[in-house]
Amino acid sequence: MNEFNDQNVEVYGEVAVEPILPQKKGFAIASLVLGITAIVPGCCCSYIGIILGILAIVFAILFMNANKDIVVSKGMAIAGLILGVVAVIICTVLLIIGFSSMSSGGYQDMIDQITNSIESAN
Amino acid sequence: MIKKLCTFRNLHILGVLLILGVFAVAAIAYIQHGTAFIDLIVLEPRAIGKCFYRENFGISCPSCGLTRSFISIGKFNFSDAFGYNRIGPFIYLLFILALIFNVFGIFKSRYTRLMGKLVAVYGVAVCIILVISWVLDYFFGV
């Protein structure tokens, strides 16, 4: 029993405790920034929102892969991942709604309404 | 070469320029027309400031009305600012906080890290509220 305890003391005594730092933290920051940018102005700009959202997802996955063996805070990367996914979903839904309304003639109706209102105003 | 350019200080300078660019777009729009539309020689006339979805499909996206909201805030007309986009003034505040964060970063203030965390948390919260607000507005008419 004493030998066991002595061994443990020696082992723990030799190991220097160093703080575990996240690898490639820039990827997490980039993911968060791209996620926010993908939603706030990106959603207005059709494909740009999708591109920014996909980039946010890619950077978040790269950060998580680089730190999968280490217990570090992944809050920023997760937030970037969620915002990226949400931005991609919103842009895709808007494009689907838009193109479906175009194909069903809703777009032409809208143009006609705008043209009529402009003509009546003049 | 790229590593030398990508210092934290330079990235903060880039951040300041980008945010000032956003305010400049709103200011130019107001000076030119008093509205959110901008004529630029290099681009198609009135290319900036108009929403792709509203222009092409007639539907509103979460960011619709932001430029007009920013212009209204510039005129201290907050009721109109909330009217154009309910989350517009909060996003304006986000840009101001991000500007302060980047200025702190340039001068290496000790509050830079704290400010960065504040901007990150506030930015994520604003994005989530923006999306929820748009969903309620567009799909449920609330």
Side-chain angles (χ1 to χ4, degrees):
Chain A
M1 189 68 187
N2 280 337
E3 284 175 5
F4 178 72
N5 279 341
D6 289 341
Q7 273 180 351
N8 272 353
V9 168
E10 278 180 16
V11 169
Y12 286 118
E14 285 172 1
V15 175
V17 180
E18 289 179 5
I20 301 168
L21 296 173
Q23 302 289 313
K24 298 179 179 176
K25 198 181 173 186
F27 283 166
I29 298 168
S31 169
L32 183 65
V33 171
L34 285 168
I36 293 173
T37 334
I39 287 196
V40 177
C43 276
C44 251
C45 313
S46 129
Y47 306 109
I48 295 174
I50 295 178
I51 293 165
L52 290 174
I54 290 170
L55 282 175
I57 295 166
V58 168
F59 277 115
I61 291 170
L62 285 174
F63 176 78
M64 286 178 182
N65 276 340
N67 294 288
K68 61 183 175 187
D69 298 330
I70 313 169
V71 181
V72 289
S73 172
K74 292 173 184 164
M76 275 202 287
I78 292 168
L81 181 70
I82 293 168
L83 290 177
V85 170
V86 169
V88 170
I89 289 171
I90 289 175
C91 291
T92 313
V93 166
L94 281 169
L95 283 174
I96 289 168
I97 293 172
F99 281 118
S100 62
S101 70
M102 272 179 82
S103 60
S104 64
Y107 179 69
Q108 192 55 46
D109 291 346
M110 184 193 74
I111 296 292
D112 291 343
Q113 279 180 3
I114 292 170
T115 313
N116 289 335
S117 62
I118 290 169
E119 282 174 357
S120 61
N122 289 332
Chain B
M1 179 68 181
I2 293 171
K3 274 192 175 180
K4 278 184 183 176
L5 281 174
C6 285
T7 59
F8 277 108
R9 192 186 172 91
N10 286 350
L11 289 174
H12 283 300
I13 292 170
L14 182 66
V16 167
L17 292 175
L18 284 174
I19 295 162
L20 289 179
V22 170
F23 289 126
V25 165
I28 292 167
Y30 176 62
I31 291 165
Q32 280 190 342
H33 298 287
T35 65
F37 306 132
I38 290 182
D39 291 337
L40 290 179
I41 296 165
V42 290
L43 294 171
E44 184 189 348
R46 296 188 171 186
I48 293 177
K50 273 198 171 181
C51 173
F52 171 83
Y53 299 103
R54 180 168 280 186
E55 181 80 351
N56 292 296
F57 307 133
I59 52 178
S60 298
C61 76
S63 307
C64 270
L66 274 185
T67 319
R68 283 170 290 168
S69 181
F70 283 13
I71 292 168
S72 298
I73 293 167
K75 292 191 280 188
F76 298 104
N77 192 345
F78 290 97
S79 59
D80 275 4
F82 280 106
Y84 287 127
N85 190 317
R86 279 185 283 192
I87 316 298
F90 299 105
I91 293 172
Y92 195 88
L93 182 62
L94 173 66
F95 278 115
I96 289 172
L97 288 176
L99 186 66
I100 294 168
F101 160 65
N102 281 306
V103 170
F104 278 2
I106 290 169
F107 294 106
K108 294 180 178 172
S109 164
R110 59 181 171 165
Y111 299 113
T112 308
R113 185 178 286 268
L114 181 70
M115 202 67 201
K117 282 182 181 173
L118 177 69
V119 170
V121 172
Y122 184 72
V124 172
V126 160
C127 283
I128 292 167
I129 295 168
L130 181 73
V131 171
I132 292 170
S133 167
W134 174 74
V135 169
L136 289 174
D137 185 28
Y138 190 77
F139 293 101
F140 301 102
V142 179

